[in-house]
Amino acid sequence: MTALLGSDEVTAALANLDGWAGDTSGIERSVKAGTFLDGIRLVAEVAHVAEQADHHPDIDIRWRTVTFRLVTHSEGGVTSRDIALAGQINDLIG
């Protein structure tokens, strides 16, 4: 089990995660890729790191816009696992 983060903790974490927004119910970032295939490649890269972490984002693909949403469903809110994966996604986005 991973402890849920409180509102202040989520706010502090988001301040260090470029492009991410949200609250204790979930965090989200949308990215506009250069092309549709660039977006699909990014999704594949995120899928790889998510699988390694055994923590999987909700992903929405709309042409060149890819939205990642993170929440630890088993805990019912945002945990340190979501913050860590958001950082890894940011690294992949560059």
Side-chain angles (χ1 to χ4, degrees):
M1 292 184 93
T2 306
L4 287 172
L5 299 180
S7 182
D8 290 343
E9 293 169 305
V10 172
T11 299
L14 290 173
N16 296 314
L17 288 170
D18 186 43
W20 289 85
D23 55 31
T24 58
S25 67
I27 61 174
E28 184 172 290
R29 178 173 182 182
S30 293
V31 179
K32 189 167 188 174
T35 67
F36 176 75
L37 287 177
D38 290 339
I40 296 301
R41 280 190 274 284
L42 175 61
V43 168
E45 291 172 0
V46 169
H48 180 73
V49 298
E51 191 66 19
Q52 287 179 329
D54 192 29
H55 191 61
H56 305 93
D58 295 326
I59 302 172
D60 182 60
I61 304 166
R62 306 286 172 141
W63 187 35
R64 298 183 325 169
T65 301
V66 180
T67 301
F68 301 98
R69 180 163 174 78
L70 295 168
V71 60
T72 304
H73 296 286
S74 62
E75 300 302 322
V78 175
T79 68
S80 60
R81 296 184 76 197
D82 301 301
I83 302 305
L85 186 55
Q88 289 180 291
I89 291 170
N90 275 5
D91 290 344
L92 292 170
I93 293 168

